[in-house]
Amino acid sequence: GESVATLQALRELESQGRIPLRVRVYLDANDLDTADAVARPPLAASAARRPLVTLAGVKLWLDGSLGGRTAALSSPYADADDAGRRAPAPPLHHEVEALHAWIAQLDAVGLQLAVHAIGDAAVERLIVTVAGMKRHSGAPPLRIEHAQVVRPDQIARLAGVVCSIQPLHRQDDHAFSAMRLGSDRAAWAYRARSLDGACPLLLGSDYPIGQPKPSLMVKELVGDQHTDRTPQERLTRRSALDALTRDPLSMRPRQVAVGAQADFVVFAGQSLQPEALLWLIVDGRLTRTTDRASPRP
């Protein structure tokens, strides 16, 4: 959900040779300049090298967060608000017609719509929008971000929609999720295997809200990190790794093997801060290293 100004700044930095990493940008649907930016053709790629900064799509918010009681649920929250009343379910931010318009515009230029939907009412709005909609051939799949509260009747209807989930949110929300949802809805929350059976999964951190800790994501999903994840919602390690390494547009798992072309970043220890960077490999070529580590062939 970045601004058009941020995209322009990143492209300018790349033209100056100051961007070392590949950056895929999703613009904010609320930015007044976004509609014009996605209508313009992307920068032409060099025959020798793909651009590092690319526009991937647009992020649109249908609802807010569970912790703030702004996630759109199909019935009121189970706990009381600050006034001591049962908190009502908030309205959705966009109507079906607005979603249709965004999907059509992005399909026409080969970009992806990522829809923030945490509550089951928000999930339902996206399902209803997509049902029966004729889309451009070859258009990227729609992407639902979070999908934290998905009713049993919604799972099969998400077929064809990419589900981008944040595994560590389940523990981050542990202190309030059961109170907000009540016991029935809490059983629907933070799915993994049931979603994986219906739609391709992506794993994310929701950075900077959550920290990027890929190994902990996998451990959480397979039940090694917190054993309270029910067996029917655990993934196999292979499924979790596929979800972690998939390309978010093509949804193909990236190949991890000796000799495969890759972007690769190596940090010292557990820190992901710039000062801990050891190696940076882009398109299979070393582009940056520190004196602390000598790259091997």
Side-chain angles (χ1 to χ4, degrees):
E2 297 292 347
S3 67
V4 173
T6 296
L7 174 63
Q8 293 169 341
L10 287 167
R11 285 175 167 169
E12 178 64 24
L13 289 170
E14 181 177 7
S15 72
Q16 299 169 9
R18 296 169 63 191
I19 289 287
L21 281 167
R22 193 176 311 285
V23 182
R24 277 179 168 167
V25 178
Y26 285 80
L27 295 176
D28 184 349
N30 293 323
D31 187 327
L32 296 179
D33 295 324
T34 290
D36 288 338
V38 300
R40 293 195 296 268
L43 296 178
S46 164
R49 188 177 181 85
R50 294 178 294 163
L52 293 178
V53 178
T54 57
L55 175 59
V58 170
K59 183 176 180 181
L60 177 147
W61 280 260
L62 274 181
D63 66 351
S65 68
L66 194 60
R69 297 191 187 89
T70 53
L73 302 176
S74 55
S75 59
Y77 280 77
D79 61 344
D81 61 16
D82 294 337
R85 298 168 299 189
R86 194 175 179 195
L92 292 156
H93 298 329
H94 295 277
E95 299 295 332
V96 169
E97 293 74 15
L99 285 172
H100 272 155
W102 272 112
I103 294 169
Q105 182 179 6
L106 296 177
D107 278 3
V109 291
L111 298 176
Q112 185 179 50
L113 181 65
V115 179
H116 177 289
I118 286 181
D120 63 307
V123 172
E124 186 69 18
R125 176 62 54 86
L126 182 61
I127 290 172
V128 170
T129 299
V130 176
M133 185 178 182
K134 186 175 181 180
R135 301 188 61 206
H136 285 241
S137 60
L142 295 178
R143 172 172 166 174
I144 185 169
E145 203 70 32
H146 303 308
Q148 285 183 359
V149 185
V150 179
R151 300 194 309 264
D153 67 284
Q154 293 175 322
I155 296 173
R157 296 158 63 212
L158 281 170
V161 176
V162 172
C163 290
S164 173
I165 65 172
Q166 294 67 39
L168 300 185
H169 278 190
R170 194 173 74 92
Q171 293 302 318
D172 293 342
D173 298 352
H174 183 73
F176 57 78
S177 58
M179 292 186 297
R180 296 279 189 277
L181 296 171
S183 58
D184 289 345
R185 282 185 301 206
W188 307 336
Y190 310 99
R191 296 180 181 274
R193 184 188 294 180
S194 56
L195 289 179
D196 192 40
C199 53
L201 280 187
L202 286 177
L203 303 189
S205 65
D206 204 22
Y207 181 85
I209 304 301
Q211 291 300 309
K213 298 177 179 178
S215 61
L216 290 185
M217 292 182 204
V218 173
K219 288 180 179 179
E220 209 288 327
L221 287 173
V222 302
D224 290 348
Q225 181 72 10
H226 297 282
T227 56
D228 61 340
R229 177 174 282 278
T230 58
Q232 61 266 30
E233 287 299 336
R234 295 180 186 179
L235 294 181
T236 65
R237 196 169 301 277
R238 179 70 265 169
S239 295
L241 288 172
D242 282 351
L244 183 66
T245 60
R246 278 193 178 108
D247 182 281
L249 295 177
S250 70
M251 289 311 296
R252 290 190 298 269
R254 295 182 179 98
Q255 183 183 15
V256 182
V258 174
Q261 191 177 55
D263 296 345
F264 208 77
V265 184
V266 180
F267 293 91
Q270 296 297 313
S271 174
L272 299 183
Q273 299 304 312
E275 58 270 17
L277 178 65
L278 297 180
W279 300 356
L280 176 59
I281 299 168
V282 178
D283 280 338
R285 297 194 298 271
L286 183 74
T287 65
R288 185 166 298 183
T289 187
T290 70
D291 293 335
R292 289 180 292 165
S294 300
R296 291 176 291 181

